[in-house]
Amino acid sequence: MCRHLGWLGAPTSVSSLVLDQPYGLVVQSYSPRRQKHGTINADGWGVGFFHHDTARRWRSAAPLWGDASFASVAPAIESHCVIAAVRSATVGMPIEPSASAPFTDGQWLLSHNGVVDRSVLPPSAAAESTVDSALLAALIFDRGLDALGETVAEVGKADPNARLNILAANGSRLRGTTWGDTLSILRRDDGVVVASEPYDDDPAWQDVPDRHLVDVTDSRLQVTPLKGSS
Ligand code: GLN
């Protein structure tokens, strides 16, 4: 299972979120602390961020730890809203840049940690790759992010073995789900981090229980049980 991170707050450099922390995503790509499925995340990475109102992405099918160009440029990329991920490909899934999260519909950036049987998902011409996560993203975009909780619960019902941790943002809102894996939240003075696992040992990190929905806006953070999850 991959690891992902979302940020909503004041403009912050991508390197400070992804590369510079003691257990940030780059460390999680070779030595995650809480990963329950898979051991390393070497099958690609992606960083999506909002620049003014436009979603922009940088994705790769190579390990994050080896990308010196990204490490050089990341301190110069600042954004108030970021979705980043490192990937451990599920067996049988393609390894290509378009299979790395975040996926986008032009409005939202979306990452999936987990696995889902593709046969329970509708075929989609809009999916960016044949990877399960891209098909799931296409379904979530099609239903709308307001219905994120309902869509995840419905897919979880159709595939009881699915793991469906989602993280998505549109520049003013950050939404996430827990369904089968870990997620933690850090409220900072300048914003909110939502991540598969803490990037440092700050005691302020709070774990999100399984089968919950996280909703962050500039003024509010809500964590609620997913409807239809029991
Ligand atoms: N199933 C997705 C993939 O193959 C996500 C994998 C994961 O979360 N490790 O990319």
Side-chain angles (χ1 to χ4, degrees):
M1 166 158 295
C2 319
R3 306 276 82 187
H4 56 199
L5 170 143
W7 166 254
L8 186 65
T12 301
S13 76
V14 163
S15 57
S16 73
L17 294 168
V18 172
L19 301 178
D20 303 343
Q21 303 289 348
Y23 307 105
L25 272 188
V26 68
V27 176
Q28 291 171 36
S29 70
Y30 55 82
S31 187
R33 295 191 292 174
R34 294 196 178 178
Q35 191 152 336
K36 295 194 274 188
H37 304 273
T39 49
I40 63 168
N41 300 290
D43 299 320
W45 59 271
V47 171
F49 56 94
F50 287 85
H51 177 68
H52 304 299
D53 287 336
T54 306
R56 307 213 173 261
R57 291 181 294 171
W58 187 344
R59 297 187 292 169
S60 165
L64 179 57
W65 69 74
D67 201 320
S69 296
F70 174 71
S72 166
V73 175
I77 304 173
E78 288 209 337
S79 177
H80 66 288
C81 185
V82 176
I83 297 282
V86 289
R87 180 175 180 223
S88 167
T90 299
V91 173
M93 299 295 163
I95 297 180
E96 56 195 14
S98 59
S100 293
F103 306 96
T104 190
D105 63 352
Q107 301 286 311
W108 288 85
L109 294 165
L110 184 148
S111 171
H112 168 223
N113 280 186
V115 60
V116 56
D117 181 346
R118 287 178 286 186
S119 69
V120 308
L121 301 172
S124 168
E128 294 181 48
S129 162
T130 56
V131 68
D132 57 352
S133 306
L135 275 174
L136 179 61
L139 176 67
I140 292 169
F141 292 146
D142 188 54
R143 297 278 176 84
L145 267 291
D146 283 341
L148 175 64
E150 289 80 355
T151 306
V152 163
E154 182 190 317
V155 173
K157 208 170 172 187
D159 175 7
N161 296 318
R163 298 191 303 273
L164 302 165
N165 278 38
I166 301 291
L167 206 48
N170 70 350
S172 58
R173 198 169 171 198
L174 179 59
R175 307 205 88 197
T177 59
T178 49
W179 191 286
D181 212 285
T182 56
L183 193 72
S184 301
I185 298 176
L186 179 66
R187 288 184 206 233
R188 300 186 349 190
D189 289 344
D190 57 346
V192 176
V193 185
V194 182
S196 302
E197 55 186 58
Y199 60 45
D200 64 14
D201 287 328
D202 189 329
W205 285 95
Q206 292 182 323
D207 296 339
V208 180
D210 198 33
R211 302 201 174 190
H212 276 62
L213 182 69
V214 176
D215 195 28
V216 187
T217 62
D218 283 342
S219 53
R220 199 187 45 141
L221 164 62
Q222 265 190 326
V223 179
T224 49
L226 274 175
K227 291 194 194 89
S229 64
S230 48

